[in-house]
Every structure is written in structure tokens, then in C-alpha cells.
Amino acid sequence: PVGFDGQLRPYQKRGLGWISYLEHLGFGGVLADDMGLGKTIQVLARLVAERAGGQSLGPTMVVCPLSVVGNWKHETHDFAPELDVYVHHGTDRESGDTLVEAIDTHDVIVTTYGVVRNDIDALQDITFHRVVLDEAQKIKNTDAKRTQAIRTLLARHRLALTGTPVENRLSELWSIMEFCNPGLLGSQTAFREEFARPIDRYGDEHKTEQLRRLIRPFILRRSKTDESVIEDLPEKVEVREYCNLTEEQATLYKAATDELLGEVEQASDMERRGKVLQLINALKAICNHPRQYHEDDSSLEGRSGKLDRLHDLATEILASDDRALIFTQYTSMAELIRQYLQQELGQRVLYLHGGTPQERRDEMVEQFQSSDGPAFFLLSLRAGGTGLTLTAANHVIHYDRWWNPAVEDQATDRTYRIGQTDDVQV
């Protein structure tokens, strides 16, 4: 569209047309393209296109995780420079009449799920032109306070963006669709009986096809592996690295198993679940490094087959003048990895986690993406696994495994996305 400072790819033009068509008919939609295919850009193109006649439409509010706030701000400035952006976040954020005035005088309001939950009393009195949920799987739990707060927002148009509309079970799809088109899939109870239970539990193909026909007009999903969508994305090669336990790890592993399995046998039903989870987490920590399990200040070197393998991989990556993202779900392990790599390789390692302030996140992304940026970016899986563009890396290392592969795929897609010119080794 005129005023959009960029070139849409053919599938992105179709996405723009699809959003426009649905909104013209008064429906909401789920743009569920794979990570890295430019969902943000398609939304910004829609905002620019609808202002082509010079009309004033009111604000669009984008609700997203904290890690994506800077991305929305920068991409709006880059691709839609005529749109005024206001970030509603932080302890000193506006409230009352000044908040209403700030929202009324800007085109795009960027905020987070946590802020919407906390400020819902003020926000639910404002009618937005559009509410966009980025990483919309954040409202997959229909009973969560943030989900309930989001549903009370008033908007003429509703749009959900997510690369994983279903992470675990079909009830998540109902929750997202209930935001976009309230009532379309019936009540939660009716949906569970009619579709979720037959499909999730019994793999009912007839019900699956029935549901697919029902939601097809309201969900647009394209895969980056589809050559008709994108022809110039490089290859992604996934390799499993098997690491032997050291003698210390094996001894700890057996001792923890014997101790906790004994407790499991003695426990009641509810206690047993907690004990099993405790055992799994203990074994994961032992496999990562004995020091993570002991939570002490002992040495790091030579005690973990996994950390030794990471050292070898990091050395190869440096020798090839390549760069890598390293993900772990444990902040305690991330601190140890950072300390170890900086000591052993003499390299500065960036580290992003849930407590990293927004400004510092943006600085680190900019540093890493620069031509002379550091070779390694260490990220907490939950804080850094969505929303960021880190195409300077061509290696991704998952130091420990998350419960859900969809979450790992999202993290890998920080670098395997549009703008990546090299093959990606995972």
C-alpha cells in the first residue's frame, strides 16, 4: 500500500487481502503463519492500507509479550513511519485521563499481557479500532485472569497472531477463537464434548474434518517449508548430540533415582505426581551439570558430558567465524554456561532472561545483529524463545529439552526466518 515502506512478498499480499476481507465482513481472524514469515509486517500493511483515504480510524492496540515490545516499535518505525506509536508499559506508565488522551492521539498502542491484566479497569472503558494479540497462545488458558481481561476489551476488529495456535490440546484453539469471534465455536463445554474430546482422545477423523471446515475461513496458516510460500529460505538441519554422563553424573543419577523412586512408592496419588516431577527435574539438572543440582560454587570443568560437548561445539563455531544462539530453560544453568564460555573461550556472551529490562533487551538484539557482534547469545527459553529476530546466528543449541517441541521450534525460529541467508544448524 501507499505509505508502506517495504515490499510485501506474494503470500504476504494475500495475507493483507485476507485480513481486509474478514474485517470488511465484521469477522476476526487468526493469522497463524509459521514463525519468521512476517506476521507483524502484514498487520502493519493493513494499518497503512486502511488509512489510504486519509481517514482517522482510532487506535489499534497490540498486546504482546515484553520481549516483543521493542520489535513492534522498531518495525512500525521502519515499515509504517507515518503511524504514531505509543508504548504503554513500565512503573511510570500513564493512567486516568492522560492515558485516554495518549491512546486517542496515537495510531498504534503497544502493551503487554501483564499490563492489560493490571490496567483492565481503565482499558475496558476505551473502544479501540482494533485489538491485535501477538503470540496469542498466551491466552490459551481460558480461565487465566489475563485471558479474561483480554476478552473484556472493546474493539471493532480483533486479530490474533500465533505460529502455534495449538500447542497441547484443542481447548487452546477454542480460547483464541473465542477472542476473535465470540460464540463461533459455541460454549467451552459444548466445544469440549463436540470436538475436543473425540479428536484429542480418540483421533476422530470425521470430527477433525468437521472442525477444519468450520474454522477454515477464520485461520490463515502458511508453512515456511511450503515452496509455494517462500523459495529463498535456506535449509534447516537438525542434529541430536548424544552426550555421555561423567562418572560423577552417573553416580548422582542413580542415587537420585533410588531415593526419589523410593519416595514415589510410599506417596499418595497426588503426592506421587509431585514426586515424579521432582525426580524428572532432578535428573535434568544432573544431566546439565552436577553444580546445577548441588547449587554450590564447585568447579565446572570436566564434570558434565553435556557441557564438554557444548565447549567443543562452541570452539567449532568460533573457528568457522559463525554465531550461535544457546537456549536453556534454567536461569541457574544459563549463569554457569555464560561463566564457563567466557572463561574457557575468552568470549563475551550476551544473556537475555525474564528479568532483563526492555531497553537492555533491545540493546542486546542490536549488538548481536551488528556485523561485529559477539559470537554467542544465551537465552532463557521462555523469555527469549518468541518475538525476537536474531538472524545473525546460523547455529541454534538447545542445551536442555523443553516438555513441548513446539516451544523449541519457536525458539529456533528466532534465526530461521526471513532475512536468514545461511543454512541453520540446530
Side-chain angles (χ1 to χ4, degrees), residues 382-411:
R382 298 305 276 172
T386 56
L388 302 174
T389 296
L390 298 167
T391 47
N394 58 327
H395 294 264
V396 179
I397 298 169
H398 291 280
Y399 189 81
D400 38 60
R401 307 304 304 275
W402 187 248
W403 315 96
N404 187 335
V407 174
E408 291 185 334
D409 290 343
Q410 279 195 330

Side-chain angles (χ1 to χ4, degrees), residues 233-235 322 391-394 415-416 419-425:
L233 203 63
E235 290 293 314
D322 288 342
T391 47
N394 58 327
T415 189
Y416 186 62
Q420 180 57 265
T421 56
D422 298 320
D423 290 349
V424 175
Q425 301 273 343

Side-chain angles (χ1 to χ4, degrees), residues 224-252:
K224 65 174 64 131
T225 56
D226 184 349
E227 292 183 2
S228 67
V229 170
I230 183 165
E231 299 172 354
D232 56 355
L233 203 63
E235 290 293 314
K236 177 173 70 171
V237 181
E238 296 190 4
V239 179
R240 291 188 183 191
E241 294 283 348
Y242 292 95
C243 310
N244 290 331
L245 296 173
T246 62
E247 188 174 345
E248 179 187 7
Q249 284 177 300
T251 303
L252 278 173

Side-chain angles (χ1 to χ4, degrees), residues 9 11 36 78 85 99 131 139 152 171 185 279 415 426:
R9 295 167 182 263
Y11 74 88
D78 288 346
V85 185
L99 172 60
V131 171
I139 64 160
T152 64
S171 59
L185 296 179
L279 172 60
T415 189
V426 186

Side-chain angles (χ1 to χ4, degrees), residues 312-323 375 394-395 422:
D312 294 342
L313 287 170
T315 304
E316 292 171 25
I317 288 164
L318 275 179
S320 304
D321 203 23
D322 288 342
R323 307 190 28 215
N394 58 327
H395 294 264
D422 298 320

Side-chain angles (χ1 to χ4, degrees), residues 54-72:
Q55 61 202 109
S56 177
L57 299 166
T60 287
M61 183 163 76
V62 176
V63 186
C64 61
L66 179 58
S67 59
V68 195
V69 169
N71 191 61
W72 271 97

